[in-house]
Amino acid sequence: MGYRVVIAGATGNVGREMLNILAERQFPVDEVAVLASRKSLGTEVTFGDKTLTTQDLDTFDFTGWDMALFAIGSDATKKYAPKAAAAGCVVIDNSSLYRYDPDIPLIVPEVNPEAVHGYSKKNIIANPNCSTAQMVVALKPLHDRAKIKRVIVSTYQSVSGSGKEAIDELWDQTKAVYNPTQDVPPKVYPKQIAFNVIPHIDVFMEDGSTKEEWKMVAETKKIVDPAIKVTATCVRVPVFVGHSEALNVEFEDHLDEDEARDILREAPGIMVIDKREDGGYVTPVECVGDYATFISRIRQDSTIDNGLNLWCVSDNLRKGAALNAVQIAELLGREVLKKG
């Protein structure tokens, strides 16, 4: 006996990836419903070897469905998630709407699986920001060993984090560089993204940080430990898929780079590729389509007493969004619903 699962936002990048991953991981489903807005109604999407037709999110009845994976943005989620939750369907939400609600668990299954039991307060579970998800997977096993005091993170985030229009903008601007008669002004981003980097993701806040940087701080504290100090600089780069992060981590206790490497090799969800030679590290191109969070360039920071530097790369559409949501669904099933 399997689960009855809903995918809301099934025609978007993340929604399609959720369907792919559910099929790949052979999630025990009896029935899958795919939902979309009116403008995408009737669109066909694939689930394994099946073709499914989208239904209307606005009129769908969530009664009798076990869980719903939402990939529809905060505004739509605000309207439809409470409806699903009230009908007894557990919502796993990919938007930022519920991440900071103290009554809603924010979960990365490799890091804080025990938090899943808090779902019952509102029948909703939040999925973290893509840049936070891969970072906390890397930090948690090290924190368990030596207790992290402070993290300085600089991100190199791909355009797929902004959706299909951003992918198209990078593609079109790249072509235009080689075609002097073609001009592709920025629309998704405030400046040209092709052959450029933009130190600005999401809106600016009063203290000069951006919302993306604030999210990484707040979410790391909620998922791992409220005592960890985090400072972030988030940068959009001309890469289609795959977020990269340079992490500088300061610990309370000494942690040798060799021991850190061994700890990370044994940790769930992590693949260590760390050879001190040409190409002995992972780049975004190589992580696309993979489930793992890749760690490279592990080395001591000699400027502080207990410091390490790491390079962290992951497919943001997978671990940063769809995969993490499916892993939460697996965790919910295993620990709470216990079907399939």
Side-chain angles (χ1 to χ4, degrees), residues 220-266:
T220 301
K221 287 176 177 291
K222 184 171 179 179
I223 296 168
V224 184
D225 187 336
I228 295 176
K229 294 178 180 178
V230 181
T231 182
T233 301
C234 294
V235 182
R236 191 72 70 186
V237 297
V239 169
F240 286 112
V241 178
H243 288 356
S244 305
E245 297 172 350
L247 299 171
N248 177 263
V249 188
E250 183 181 0
F251 300 91
E252 287 193 5
D253 301 319
H254 179 72
L255 179 58
D256 179 80
E257 62 187 39
D258 293 325
E259 185 184 354
R261 200 173 286 109
D262 290 341
I263 289 168
L264 292 168
R265 280 201 177 104
E266 296 298 318

Side-chain angles (χ1 to χ4, degrees), residues 4-299:
R4 300 183 76 215
V5 179
V6 178
I7 306 293
T11 60
N13 286 342
V14 174
R16 288 177 189 271
E17 199 65 23
M18 286 173 172
L19 286 164
N20 290 339
I21 293 170
L22 283 168
E24 283 174 20
R25 292 170 73 91
Q26 299 181 317
F27 188 82
V29 296
D30 274 354
E31 189 177 356
V32 177
V34 289
L35 310 184
S37 61
R38 292 262 163 90
K39 67 178 182 180
S40 300
L41 205 56
T43 301
E44 292 186 338
V45 294
T46 57
F47 172 60
D49 56 3
K50 297 177 184 174
T51 300
L52 307 176
T53 304
T54 55
Q55 302 177 54
D56 188 357
L57 174 61
D58 201 42
T59 58
F60 186 78
D61 183 2
F62 288 91
T63 305
W65 293 83
D66 294 302
M67 56 182 83
L69 279 60
F70 271 48
I72 55 176
S74 294
D75 290 343
T77 297
K78 193 172 186 177
K79 180 178 179 182
Y80 297 107
K83 283 185 181 180
C89 177
V90 182
V91 173
I92 299 169
D93 177 38
N94 195 57
S95 81
S96 62
L97 182 65
Y98 294 114
R99 289 175 189 158
Y100 316 106
D101 186 325
D103 290 333
I104 291 177
L106 178 66
I107 296 177
V108 176
E110 298 94 333
V111 178
N112 61 335
E114 68 288 343
V116 74
H117 296 284
Y119 86 97
S120 57
K121 289 183 182 176
K122 293 192 176 178
N123 241 20
I124 297 171
I125 298 170
N127 209 24
N129 186 37
C130 50
S131 52
T132 306
Q134 69 188 70
M135 181 173 77
V136 297
V137 167
L139 294 180
K140 180 59 162 59
L142 301 177
H143 181 63
D144 287 345
R145 161 63 181 81
K147 198 158 188 186
I148 295 169
K149 289 172 62 177
R150 182 173 186 242
V151 179
I152 304 168
V153 55
S154 299
T155 72
Y156 307 77
Q157 293 177 229
S158 66
V159 296
S160 57
S162 304
K164 184 180 181 300
E165 286 100 356
I167 294 172
D168 292 342
E169 184 158 297
L170 173 57
W171 177 245
D172 292 339
Q173 285 181 356
T174 301
K175 290 186 293 182
V177 168
Y178 296 100
N179 183 354
T181 63
Q182 193 178 3
D183 182 37
V184 182
K187 292 180 182 175
V188 176
Y189 297 118
K191 298 196 178 195
Q192 175 184 311
I193 184 61
F195 299 93
N196 199 15
V197 298
I198 304 172
H200 171 196
I201 300 178
D202 212 323
V203 297
F204 275 96
M205 304 182 74
E206 279 187 17
D207 67 353
S209 62
T210 63
K211 188 81 176 286
E212 184 82 357
E213 291 156 357
W214 175 84
K215 287 175 189 174
M216 292 192 77
V217 175
E219 292 174 23
T220 301
K221 287 176 177 291
K222 184 171 179 179
I223 296 168
V224 184
D225 187 336
I228 295 176
K229 294 178 180 178
V230 181
T231 182
T233 301
C234 294
V235 182
R236 191 72 70 186
V237 297
V239 169
F240 286 112
V241 178
H243 288 356
S244 305
E245 297 172 350
L247 299 171
N248 177 263
V249 188
E250 183 181 0
F251 300 91
E252 287 193 5
D253 301 319
H254 179 72
L255 179 58
D256 179 80
E257 62 187 39
D258 293 325
E259 185 184 354
R261 200 173 286 109
D262 290 341
I263 289 168
L264 292 168
R265 280 201 177 104
E266 296 298 318
I270 290 174
M271 183 77 70
V272 175
I273 308 289
D274 189 20
K275 296 178 181 177
R276 294 177 176 178
E277 60 187 44
D278 292 354
Y281 42 81
V282 172
T283 62
V285 168
E286 296 148 311
C287 80
V288 174
D290 208 298
Y291 289 144
T293 295
F294 292 89
I295 308 295
S296 309
R297 305 290 321 279
I298 303 166
R299 62 207 190 276

